[in-house]
Structure formats: structure tokens, C-alpha cells
Amino acid sequence: MAIQLKARVSRSIGGNLTVFIFLLLAGVFMVLPLVYIVVNSFKPINELFLYPPRFFVRRPTFDNFLELFQLSQSTWVPFYRYLFNSLFIAGGGTVLYIFIASMAGFVLAKYRLPGIALYVQVVIWAMLFRPEVMGIPQYIIITKLGLLNTYLAVILPAVASSLGVFMMRQFMTTIYDSLLDAARIDGAGDFGIYWRVAMPMVKPAWLTLTVFTFQGLWNMAGVQYIYDESMKPLPYMLSQVVSVGIARAGAGAAVGLFLMLPPILIFVFAQRSVILTMAHTGIKE
Amino acid sequence: MARQAGRTGRGFRGRATVPYLMLLPYTLVFAVFIVIPLLAAVVLSFTSFNMLQVPRFNGLTNYVRLLFDDDVFLIAVRNTLVFAFLTGPVGYILSFLFAWFINDMGTRLRTLLTLVFYAPSLAGNVYFIWMFIFSGDTYGFINSRLMMLGIIKEPIQWLSDVRYNLWIVVLVILWLSMGTGFLAFVAGLQTLNQELFEAGSIDGVRNRFQELFYITLPQMTPQLLFGAVLTIASSFAVGYQSMSLTGFPSTDYSTHTVVLHILDFGFIRYEMGYASAVAVVLFISVLVVWKLINTGLRRLGGDL
């Protein structure tokens, strides 16, 4: 891999070297814990409890995964239940969110209706409140709506996030009005213009939103909202496994691997689109 | 106002009914799960409410109690501020610095480094691995290395010793802080007007810091604002990470935060009125900090 630094007057060689070393050290700090999860998940029991602990694995095995499945089956519910619940929550929630957020983003970007400017401002303010901060009031609403112990209790609050609406809206403002006007002259309705003209043009934006939404929902433990063991998602199981501590270091790393791989793979696949989209997400209002 | 109508500035015109209908599904979810909870918290903060009986109005009792009669709340506020100041600005500046450094690399290395730095926040819940790295027994990775090197003789209880546990949570949060804002910085830096950099070098910009302050940052205001919103939001929301790493409650409440205080009173004691009052204090703090930072960053960008 060729390292080509852009030649500029403002860049000294010493400075470039410092930056490179700094990035290298920081990069190692960022990935080592993740690598540790991967290697630990393949360590046989005698290597997990070796003193002093070694970082890398000598004789990789699948024992931890087998232990995980057995533990899951005998103590709680089969592992595939957790996996299915997480996939359902993350998959269903992502599709729903992309649809309603892009529709709202389209209207906020392309229509001059009374109240739109205020709406955009409220959307920006709402990004300041993370779900952790609103836990209690949201819990009260979910309880009153009778949504406790349903997948919707986890999905709907995430679908209410304004980050995606803001991102879609910012990207959609870059579509030329003349294209939309042309579609209108060809007889397309508002929804048709959104679905058949705008959406194909903002593919990078909804791919990006897929990455973010899937990642967010995939990591949702939903402890307070779902109490049926058979409906609980994977992150809940992770917390159960690791709560025992060092004894389950191997099984814990195995669930960790299951949890971290899908979001990372989806990001790698969509990275180019993500960067393209994020270039438009600045707050200009 | 003019800008939001799109590139041509004229605005794309349509009849109003269908667009409003298209806005409806999101508006409904947004109202029910964000706006109403925020307003409900404000109303409930003046009541005593246990989820079973009807809320009973009790005036300012909750607020008086949290200011004068709840020492743990004050500890939570202090820790939240410590976390917010340590992880917020530091995480924000590091995100920008890394993005800025990465921007000097070639395409393939830049792609790889973006993934490397973003991976921890993508991986989400797996920060539990730090529990094993900082485990308090001799099998803990850090303890065993320090003991092998002869730096310490006895293992250190990193996660329960009040001298260390807050710092470890800070470290883990910083590790998690290269998130969406970082991506916006990486992306924003790639789309800056290159002619300005050339003009700058003709006008006497001689080193990378001059270039940063005179050319790069002023163009980055929109991305910087976006990153600031997300950083403020997450730095006041610290709690779950400290709960998983250092337990709940942590030793002497050493890593207790406002978010955990809300959880404690809401989900454990079912004192929803009091929990709401704590939440309202948090909401107001977030808004005030945003107001200040918004003004500051816009000034950095010059006009606007």
C-alpha cells in the first residue's frame, strides 16, 4: 500500500513523520481491544486462564462458540432465538426508518410550506437528546401505549431519532429542482417524485442511514422494554454472559464477535457512500 | 431560509396535501416518542408519581429535594460534568485531529484508517472487553503486564478503586468517541475548496497550523456544528458505559452520573416524578451548553 502524502508548502517532512507516528500509535490503541475479542473467542480454555495471559492465540478452537450455544440452550433460550430477535429488530426497524425518515427528509428539503423552517430547527434540537437521557419519560409513554414486551417498544423510539431525517434532508437539498419539476410535468405525483426520482438519486444517503440505523438497533439491549426471555436480543445475552466475569471470558468474546461483525461488515461495504453522504450533513441553519 | 429550498433557490412547488401526508408518519413517531416524553417529563417533574396511582401535584418539592436533600445527586452532577468536560471537548478535538491527519493520506490508507478509528463506536456494546483488560485480578491483561515488569507487586482493582475507575471509564468513552461526528469531519475535509489552499500558499501560509486556522476551520463550520451537537448529546448521556464497567452502584458512587441517577429513581424506586425532575435538569443543561457552543463556533466561521 503506497503512502502518498500530498505535496504542499504547508507540510514539512518532520511534521508528516510526527503525524504518521501519532496516527500509527492511536490506530493500534483503537484496534487492539477489538483484536483481543477476536483472538479470545478462539482461545481454548487453558489459554484463557494462562498466567501470565498471552495476547494472541496459539491453538485456535471453536470451543467457546460451542460453550456459548450450550450455555444459551441450558440456561436461557436457544442462541438462535436471540440472534433472530436482534435480526428482526435491526432489520425491520431499519427498513421502517429509512422509509419514513427519507419521506420526511424529502418534504423538509424540497417544499416551501408554512412551518417547515421551524420543523427543521426542531429536528436539529432533538439530536441533542440521546435515548439514554429520555429513558424514563419514554418508558412511561411505552407503558401507557401497551407496547411493553413487544419488539415495537425497542424499534419505535429508535425510529423517532431525528439524526436520519436531518441527514436525508441535507442530502436531498442537493437534488436540482429542475429534475423534480420535469418529473412533475411528465405527470408524476408528489409521492411518485419522491419514490422514483429522488430516492434513486440519494442512494448514498439511505445506504448511510442503513449503516447507522442497523448499528444502533443491533446494539439495543432493550432490558427495560422486553421481559420475555424468548424475545430478548443478543446484546442482552452478552450482558448476561459477561456478568459472571472472567469464568466466561471465552463465551463472552464469542458473543462479542457475533455482535461486532455485522455492523463492521455493513460499514465496509457502504463506506464510500457514507463518506459521500456525511460531506453534506453540516448544520447550516 | 432561501437556502433550504434547494440549489436553484426557487423552490420546488407542489400542492400542500400530499407533502403533509408524507411528513405525517415520522411526525407521529417523533411526537409520541420524543416531543411528548420531553414535555411529559417537565409536567411530571412537579408531581409525585409511581406509575400505579394518578400523579399528585407537589409543586417544587422534587427540585428542592434534589438541590438540598440528595447528596448522591450532587455527586452525579459532579461526575457528569467531569465526564462531559473530559470526554466532550477532548473527544471532539481528537475526532477532528484524527480526521485532519487522515485527510493527508492517500485514498486507500485514508479508507483503512477511517475504518480503524470508527470501528470501536461501530462495534458498540463490545466495550465490555475493557473489563477483561482492566480486570482486578492477576489475570487482568494490564495487571499481569505491570506485575511481570515489576512495576506493581499486588494487582490493582482498576474498576472498583475510586482512584482509577473514573479514569478508565473516561478512557473507554474516548475510545468510543470517534463516531458519526468523526465521519462528518473526514467527509467534510475531502470536499473543501482546494483553490483556497493554493491561494493560501501564495499568500504566505507556511505551516499546517496556519493553514488549519486560516483556511480549513472557517470552511468547516457546518460540520463542526454537526459534530458539536452529537458530542454534547453523548457527553451528557454517559452512564451505561460506567454501569457496565464499574458496576451499579459503583464504589462510593465514584462513577455515578445523572443518567444513572434517573435510572435509579425511575426503574428501581419507581419515583417517576423525582426522576423526571432530574431529567429536566439534564435537558436544560444540554440546551444551555448547545446555545453557548453554537454561538462560539459560528463566530469562528466568520459570517453566518
Side-chain angles (χ1 to χ4, degrees), chain B residues 80-197:
Chain B
T80 302
L81 290 178
V82 170
F83 281 129
F85 279 109
L86 286 177
T87 64
V90 176
Y92 183 72
I93 290 169
L94 282 179
S95 302
F96 184 83
L97 273 185
F98 288 139
W100 185 51
F101 290 158
I102 287 173
N103 193 47
D104 273 356
M105 306 291 149
T107 316
R108 282 161 71 189
L109 190 57
R110 189 171 56 208
T111 308
L112 177 72
L113 285 172
T114 306
L115 173 67
V116 162
F117 282 88
Y118 183 54
S121 72
L122 253 183
N125 288 331
V126 305
Y127 60 79
F128 78 89
I129 192 66
W130 290 95
M131 263 168 54
F132 295 108
I133 296 175
F134 280 107
S135 178
D137 48 39
T138 50
Y139 291 98
F141 197 76
I142 300 281
N143 271 342
S144 68
R145 292 297 123 128
L146 290 177
M147 289 169 78
M148 271 163 65
L149 294 170
I151 297 172
I152 54 170
K153 288 206 172 65
E154 292 294 310
I156 294 178
Q157 303 291 321
W158 298 102
L159 298 170
S160 52
D161 190 321
V162 295
R163 281 174 299 175
Y164 307 110
N165 59 4
L166 186 116
W167 297 100
I168 288 163
V169 177
V170 167
L171 183 81
V172 173
I173 293 170
L174 285 177
W175 181 68
L176 287 166
S177 64
M178 305 294 132
T180 315
F182 166 73
L183 291 181
F185 295 154
V186 170
L189 286 163
Q190 289 181 32
T191 52
L192 296 180
N193 183 352
Q194 291 305 314
E195 287 171 15
L196 287 178
F197 290 97

Side-chain angles (χ1 to χ4, degrees), chain A residues 10-11 53 109 112 119 177 285, chain B residues 4 9 27 104 145 211 298:
Chain A
S10 60
R11 298 292 186 267
R112 280 188 187 171
Y119 200 125
D177 291 334
E285 283 70 29
Chain B
Q4 74 160 71
T27 311
D104 273 356
R145 292 297 123 128
E211 186 186 277
R298 280 180 200 270

Side-chain angles (χ1 to χ4, degrees), chain A residues 164-179:
Chain A
V165 175
F166 178 74
M167 281 172 35
M168 291 307 293
R169 186 245 172 205
Q170 294 306 75
F171 203 82
M172 283 182 168
T173 52
T174 63
I175 302 174
Y176 285 99
D177 291 334
S178 48
L179 277 170

Side-chain angles (χ1 to χ4, degrees), chain B residues 204-225:
Chain B
V205 166
R206 278 294 162 263
N207 65 54
R208 69 185 80 214
F209 293 102
Q210 285 179 351
E211 186 186 277
L212 176 68
F213 284 104
Y214 295 117
I215 302 170
T216 309
L217 282 178
Q219 292 186 74
M220 288 285 289
T221 313
Q223 276 84 17
L224 291 174
L225 283 169

Side-chain angles (χ1 to χ4, degrees), chain A:
Chain A
M1 188 177 298
I3 301 156
Q4 16 167 283
L5 299 171
K6 291 173 204 159
R8 274 199 204 149
V9 206
S10 60
R11 298 292 186 267
S12 62
I13 293 176
N16 282 343
L17 200 66
T18 317
V19 162
F20 193 74
I21 292 171
F22 185 58
L23 275 182
L24 192 73
L25 291 177
V28 167
F29 170 75
M30 296 307 273
V31 287
L32 271 193
L34 299 178
V35 175
Y36 200 41
I37 292 175
V38 179
V39 293
N40 269 359
S41 66
F42 292 107
K43 275 181 190 166
I45 192 119
N46 59 340
E47 285 189 44
L48 283 167
F49 295 103
L50 192 69
Y51 182 83
R54 262 197 221 105
F55 188 85
F56 289 107
V57 48
R58 288 278 164 91
R59 288 198 193 81
T61 69
F62 286 101
D63 288 356
N64 294 318
F65 295 92
L66 293 177
E67 188 204 335
L68 177 68
F69 299 143
Q70 281 159 6
L71 182 74
S72 179
Q73 182 100 40
S74 60
T75 321
W76 305 297
V77 293
F79 184 77
Y80 68 81
R81 278 302 311 185
Y82 297 107
L83 193 64
F84 169 81
N85 294 335
S86 274
L87 280 174
F88 184 85
I89 288 171
T94 303
V95 171
L96 179 67
Y97 188 49
I98 288 184
F99 182 60
I100 71 170
S102 62
M103 211 154 60
F106 177 67
V107 177
L108 293 179
K110 285 295 163 194
Y111 291 84
R112 280 188 187 171
L113 300 170
I116 291 276
L118 177 68
Y119 200 125
V120 172
Q121 201 59 59
V122 173
V123 160
I124 294 173
W125 284 333
M127 290 197 291
L128 287 165
F129 302 105
R130 289 190 50 97
E132 294 93 322
V133 174
M134 294 199 295
I136 291 296
Q138 278 186 348
Y139 175 77
I140 296 172
I141 300 287
I142 286 167
T143 312
K144 296 289 169 199
L145 289 175
L147 291 175
L148 267 196
N149 208 28
T150 65
Y151 291 127
L152 284 179
V154 180
I155 294 173
L156 289 180
V159 166
S161 157
S162 65
L163 177 65
V165 175
F166 178 74
M167 281 172 35
M168 291 307 293
R169 186 245 172 205
Q170 294 306 75
F171 203 82
M172 283 182 168
T173 52
T174 63
I175 302 174
Y176 285 99
D177 291 334
S178 48
L179 277 170
L180 306 182
D181 283 330
R184 157 110 44 230
I185 292 162
D186 289 345
D190 293 280
F191 184 83
I193 295 172
Y194 149 74
W195 188 247
R196 282 194 301 273
V197 183
M199 279 306 266
M201 292 181 70
V202 296
K203 191 175 161 205
W206 52 258
L207 275 178
T208 305
L209 209 52
T210 306
V211 176
F212 290 178
T213 316
F214 185 88
Q215 191 268 348
L217 282 162
W218 180 254
N219 278 306
M220 214 71 94
V223 190
Q224 293 96 0
Y225 299 133
I226 294 180
Y227 39 81
D228 247 346
E229 196 63 43
S230 63
M231 285 175 68
K232 283 177 175 164
L234 213 46
Y236 173 80
M237 194 221 179
L238 169 73
S239 62
Q240 287 296 95
V241 173
V242 298
S243 65
V244 182
I246 194 88
R248 298 240 186 88
V255 206
L257 192 64
F258 267 103
L259 269 174
M260 72 184 212
L261 275 187
I264 290 179
L265 290 178
I266 294 177
F267 177 75
V268 169
F269 169 73
Q271 187 165 358
R272 195 193 286 260
S273 300
V274 173
I275 297 299
L276 194 60
T277 308
M278 296 312 286
H280 295 283
T281 50
I283 295 178
K284 295 177 181 133
E285 283 70 29

